[in-house]
Amino acid sequence: MIVLTTATFIAKGAIPLDLPKAGSAKSLPVKKIELSITKDGRIFYFKEPVTLAILKNKLLSLNKKSNILIRTDKNAKFEVFIEVLDLLKTQGFTNIAVETVK
């Protein structure tokens, strides 16, 4: 399941992204794990830059019921987003949300 959300409680400016808009955006009640993808394709685990391999290792130690919030710059390559999403799904994560702005 993928949920489009607007998370107004996230500190803005930590990793500058130009988020896409979605009319169906809802508030996300609690954030546990934050992943960001910049327009140049860099992946961040919270504020730490990671590769897919490093991200996979970090995910191994997490509860599969964790809430995952993916923040992707609207100009990022869709391929990187799909690689991150596929990694999450193959690791058994199902509570995945994509942050958008309304």
Side-chain angles (χ1 to χ4, degrees):
M1 170 176 64
I2 297 176
V3 180
L4 296 177
T5 63
T6 302
T8 56
F9 53 85
I10 295 173
K12 301 297 180 193
I15 298 171
L17 301 172
D18 190 7
L19 298 171
K21 295 183 181 192
S24 63
K26 297 186 246 177
S27 293
L28 184 67
V30 177
K31 173 187 69 82
K32 296 283 184 186
I33 309 300
E34 183 180 320
L35 303 176
S36 300
I37 303 170
T38 62
K39 66 181 175 182
D40 60 354
R42 292 180 297 147
I43 303 167
F44 288 81
Y45 178 83
F46 293 98
K47 294 180 183 179
E48 175 188 350
V50 294
T51 63
L52 280 174
I54 292 171
L55 179 58
K56 182 177 181 178
N57 286 335
K58 289 186 175 294
L59 295 175
L60 292 174
S61 64
L62 300 176
N63 182 332
K64 303 303 181 206
K65 294 181 181 180
S66 296
N67 293 320
I68 310 280
L69 176 65
I70 303 175
R71 302 177 66 238
T72 303
D73 190 284
K74 69 180 180 181
N75 295 310
K77 286 187 178 181
F78 191 62
E79 179 181 11
V80 177
F81 171 77
I82 294 300
E83 289 172 342
V84 169
L85 186 59
D86 186 54
L87 176 62
L88 292 167
K89 294 300 237 172
T90 58
Q91 294 298 314
F93 293 91
T94 56
N95 298 324
I96 302 168
V98 178
E99 184 181 10
T100 60
V101 292
K102 190 168 187 176

